[in-house]
Amino acid sequence: MAIPNSENGDSAAMVRGGRKRKRRDAAPEPGHRSFSTWRTESIEKRYSSKLLEALRRIRNDAAEPRGNGAVRDAADRALAVAARGRSRWSRAILSRRAIKLRAVRRRRQRGMGELPRSLPHPIERRRRRRRSELVQKKAEELGRLVPGCRKVSLPALLEETSDYIAALEMQIRAMSVIADAVSTAGGSSVGLPDRSGSPSTG
Amino acid sequence: MSSRRSRSRQSSSSRITEEQINDLVSKLQSLLPEARIRSNDRVSAAKVLQETCNYIRGLHREVDDLSERLSELLATTDMSSAQAAIIRSLLM
């Protein structure tokens, strides 16, 4: 699998003002190292153990089965934690629950029927229409898919998306390994999956 | 095109050139699975964005399926022996 040259990201950072290049670790620039970071063994292991802890908690706490919303939630939160606050999408995921609780509480206080509204920014839209309208539409669609990126500039959106995609692919790899391991172990303790994730026959 | 006008108006805040956008778009394109099969011809930005949307939706579906699978496994498996197996496989 070809790993894209990081030079593209560097030139973009340089044009943006060079400042961010010096403080790589502190600066929120996910796009830079997205491909390589999310592919290391260590991050996948870290993610897997976090997820396992969460799964154990779900299993132990649930008096009644919770439905797979809990697992999906846990998987996403663990993924956001693995991002270490360096990306907008991860921060958005971590604040999801807080926002939902706040909204539920507010709705209860004011009575049902009051939904949170998000108004589009008409001024932003007018400026962006100078870029192709189709590109803008597609960018909005993409912004709805990446957490926390609905009103983000196009370059930032593209950076977040690169990082988000790499993270999702890692999430899928890790969850597949866990699912295979659990299903294999559930049947018999012999025949553990090897590190590549494929269960051995039996 | 009015792009020149827009660029001068934006020059104080964010000079986002077409080249930068195309740069990022092509970088995004290289992350999509089909990009490895396709030749290096310039694909329109809109197309890349559309395919990215589709790809992310596909990834979300995979995560959903895996979550569902894990949910069912959690309900039916004896977690302690499974956990030992997983931890062992993770440490290997």
Side-chain angles (χ1 to χ4, degrees), chain A residues 11 31 35 45 52 56 59 68 71-72 127 130 138 141 158 162 164 169 171-172 179-180 182 192, chain B residues 6 9-10 23-24 27 31 50 55 57 60 62-64 67 69 71 74 77 83 85-86 90:
Chain A
S11 60
F35 211 73
K45 279 190 185 167
L52 276 176
R56 200 190 322 170
R59 162 123 185 142
N68 71 327
V71 173
R72 175 71 201 265
R127 202 197 318 166
R130 288 185 193 115
K138 290 300 155 192
E141 190 181 327
L158 296 178
S162 303
Y164 187 52
E169 289 173 343
Q171 182 180 36
I172 290 171
D180 287 346
V182 176
L192 294 171
Chain B
S6 70
R9 217 170 284 178
Q10 289 176 6
D23 227 24
L24 287 168
K27 182 175 157 224
L31 288 176
Q50 179 64 64
Y55 186 50
R57 274 191 276 259
H60 282 169
E62 275 194 68
V63 176
D64 272 334
S67 301
R69 195 173 147 208
S71 266
L74 279 187
T77 319
Q83 266 207 303
I86 297 164
L90 286 177

Side-chain angles (χ1 to χ4, degrees), chain A residues 178-191:
Chain A
I178 293 179
D180 287 346
V182 176
S183 60
T184 310
S188 67
S189 48
V190 190

Side-chain angles (χ1 to χ4, degrees), chain A residues 1-2 4-5 8-9 11-12 15-16 31-32 34-35 41 44-45 48-49 51-53 55-56 58-59 65 67-69 71-72 75-76 127 130-131 134-136 138-139 141-142 145-147 153-156 158-159 161-166 168-169 171-173 175-183 185-186 189 192-195, chain B residues 1-7 9-10 13-33 36 44-92:
Chain A
M1 205 173 287
N5 207 323
N8 283 339
S11 60
V15 179
R16 234 179 286 131
H32 255 60
S34 51
F35 211 73
E41 208 174 293
E44 193 170 323
K45 279 190 185 167
S48 303
S49 20
L51 180 53
L52 276 176
E53 281 176 37
L55 292 178
R56 200 190 322 170
I58 293 176
R59 162 123 185 142
N68 71 327
V71 173
R72 175 71 201 265
D76 286 347
R127 202 197 318 166
R130 288 185 193 115
R131 227 170 262 142
L134 182 57
V135 170
Q136 184 51 34
K138 290 300 155 192
E141 190 181 327
L142 183 58
L145 287 170
V146 181
S153 75
L154 186 50
L158 296 178
E159 295 252 5
T161 304
S162 303
D163 193 63
Y164 187 52
I165 287 180
L168 282 178
E169 289 173 343
Q171 182 180 36
I172 290 171
R173 278 196 301 274
M175 288 178 77
S176 304
V177 169
I178 293 179
D180 287 346
V182 176
S183 60
S189 48
L192 294 171
D194 57 39
R195 196 57 191 88
Chain B
M1 288 240 27
S2 56
S3 52
R4 230 179 263 167
R5 230 179 297 144
S6 70
R7 230 177 274 155
R9 217 170 284 178
Q10 289 176 6
S13 47
S14 50
R15 281 252 319 260
I16 305 169
T17 64
E18 282 297 307
E19 201 180 312
Q20 259 181 285
I21 299 296
N22 290 333
D23 227 24
L24 287 168
V25 167
S26 67
K27 182 175 157 224
L28 192 60
Q29 186 186 0
S30 67
L31 288 176
L32 302 179
R36 291 159 204 144
S44 75
K47 188 108 204 303
V48 174
L49 288 174
Q50 179 64 64
E51 291 189 3
T52 306
C53 290
N54 296 341
Y55 186 50
I56 291 184
R57 274 191 276 259
L59 292 177
H60 282 169
R61 266 196 303 271
E62 275 194 68
V63 176
D64 272 334
D65 290 343
L66 283 166
S67 301
E68 207 176 303
R69 195 173 147 208
L70 275 174
S71 266
E72 291 167 10
L73 286 171
L74 279 187
T76 60
T77 319
D78 171 12
M79 199 55 179
S80 52
S81 68
Q83 266 207 303
I86 297 164
I87 293 169
R88 241 175 287 143
S89 73
L90 286 177
L91 295 177
M92 275 196 297

